Amino acid sequence: MAFSTLLVETRGKVGLITVNRPQALNALNSELLAEMNEALDGFDRDPSIGCIVITGSERAFAAGADIKEMASLTYPGTYIDDFFAGWDRVAARRKPMIAAVAGFALGGGCELAMMCDFIIAADTAKFGQPEIKLGVMPGIGGSQRLTRLIGRAKAMEMCLTGRMMDAEEAERSGLVARVVPAGSLLEEAMKTAETIASMSLPIAMMTKEAIHRADEVSLSEGIRFERRVFHAMFATRDQKEGMAAFVEKRKPDFKNS
Ligand code: CAA
């Protein structure tokens, strides 16, 4: 499948998507959104894929939604088309997804990174929600996900001033899981993705679902959900295999069943 805004490849059990609009610092336009969902649909359908990595270029993960495409939009038009709703499909993916971020991750770029399950950042990464400077606010989940990840004070400051946060501050604030040297970003992200993809896929997916549940429900409801899912795991062969392998001092051979 050929894409015009993305490079899409499979490396072993990892699906790799590289945002590829260098002329616009990887700005996210409608065509890219459609292609992103098409690429993710393909990885969802492929049972051999256990983890997905989304990355950009050295200069930009993505510098935001495409301002030139948005500039002339109208309120009735955005409302009728439910403009940006396609990003909800990206965020709702069930296989683990890692964002490998170098350079600018601004506006929709920061929001795309936050839709992934966690972010590994190069030491060159710069995060921001600068929409206010354009007379709008974050529109792909930034006001909600950033607040949950870094807390209200910092989210307010970021969204109201539009300032950028470097990788070190992003790690300190809980926005990113880990900062690595720019030269080894993809290697580190792929290594992490391979580790995840070597686990039982249904168990990894259930773990992801349980952690995301924490954003939606009370602590007691979340713990109840966790307990039910934990119990259900004993119905899988992979639980038997994982525990037998530990006892027998060997590597587990998960069958995703
Ligand atoms: N949309 C469309 N084109 C963009 C873009 C964007 N978000 N960001 C950069 N580009 C384009 C520039 O227009 C420029 O194209 P031309 O060469 O044709 O003029 C090209 O990419 C290179 O950009 P710059 O010349 O500006 O590069 P720079 O190094 O001087 O600056 C930058 C880099 C600070 C990231 C600057 O490009 C910038 O501020 N970009 C916009 C960032 C932004 O406001 N993002 C939020 C978008 S709105 C949004 O995302 C809404 C939402 O919540 C979904």
Side-chain angles (χ1 to χ4, degrees):
M1 175 73 67
F3 295 91
S4 60
T5 65
L6 304 175
L7 304 172
V8 179
E9 56 187 294
T10 296
R11 295 192 189 175
K13 293 177 167 183
V14 178
L16 175 62
I17 298 176
T18 306
V19 180
N20 187 34
R21 293 190 72 218
Q23 72 285 5
L25 292 185
N26 287 339
L28 307 167
N29 64 5
S30 307
E31 184 185 19
L32 189 149
L33 172 56
E35 291 192 347
M36 180 69 74
N37 273 311
E38 208 175 314
L40 291 169
D41 285 345
F43 289 145
D44 276 352
R45 278 192 303 268
D46 183 343
S48 72
I49 296 294
C51 191
I52 295 158
V53 173
I54 300 180
T55 194
S57 67
E58 270 177 41
R59 192 157 170 235
F61 177 73
D66 192 311
I67 299 166
K68 291 166 189 166
E69 187 183 67
M70 282 187 297
S72 61
L73 296 184
T74 64
Y75 170 62
T78 52
Y79 181 83
I80 291 168
D81 296 344
D82 205 3
F83 183 61
F84 281 163
W87 288 106
D88 297 342
R89 288 192 59 222
V90 175
R93 299 290 163 169
R94 297 169 70 223
K95 290 185 179 179
M97 295 204 297
I98 301 173
V101 174
F104 297 112
L106 302 177
C110 186
E111 292 168 300
L112 170 58
M114 291 189 291
M115 276 175 221
C116 296
D117 299 310
F118 61 92
I119 300 171
I120 298 181
D123 49 14
T124 57
K126 286 195 186 320
F127 298 89
Q129 297 290 162
E131 291 88 344
I132 197 158
K133 297 184 193 169
L134 301 166
V136 289
M137 61 179 270
I140 321 180
S143 65
Q144 305 304 302
R145 291 196 179 93
L146 190 67
T147 307
R148 281 167 169 76
L149 286 166
I150 70 174
R152 189 176 71 175
K154 265 188 185 289
M156 281 283 187
E157 191 207 3
M158 300 282 294
C159 293
L160 290 176
T161 65
R163 83 165 172 93
M164 291 187 213
M165 187 185 255
D166 66 18
E168 193 267 324
E169 184 183 1
E171 184 180 30
R172 189 162 22 97
S173 308
L175 178 56
V176 313
R178 194 148 51 89
V179 179
V180 299
S184 56
L185 174 66
L186 192 59
E187 188 190 330
E188 288 294 329
M190 289 302 293
K191 233 193 290 174
T192 307
E194 281 156 17
T195 300
I196 294 169
S198 74
M199 308 297 174
S200 163
L201 178 60
I203 301 297
M205 289 172 66
M206 288 179 217
T207 304
K208 164 174 171 157
E209 187 181 353
I211 292 172
H212 281 291
R213 201 43 92 95
D215 284 340
E216 309 286 345
V217 301
S218 67
L219 179 62
S220 57
E221 275 307 311
I223 286 173
R224 196 192 317 276
F225 181 80
E226 178 191 80
R227 182 94 18 91
R228 292 291 167 264
V229 177
F230 178 73
H231 291 163
M233 288 172 174
F234 288 83
T236 66
R237 288 193 5 207
D238 286 343
Q239 172 270 323
K240 298 287 174 290
E241 169 61 12
M243 293 192 183
F246 176 82
V247 173
E248 292 160 20
K249 300 187 188 299
R250 60 176 173 81
K251 274 183 75 172
D253 178 18
F254 294 125
K255 301 282 193 214
N256 296 342
S257 61

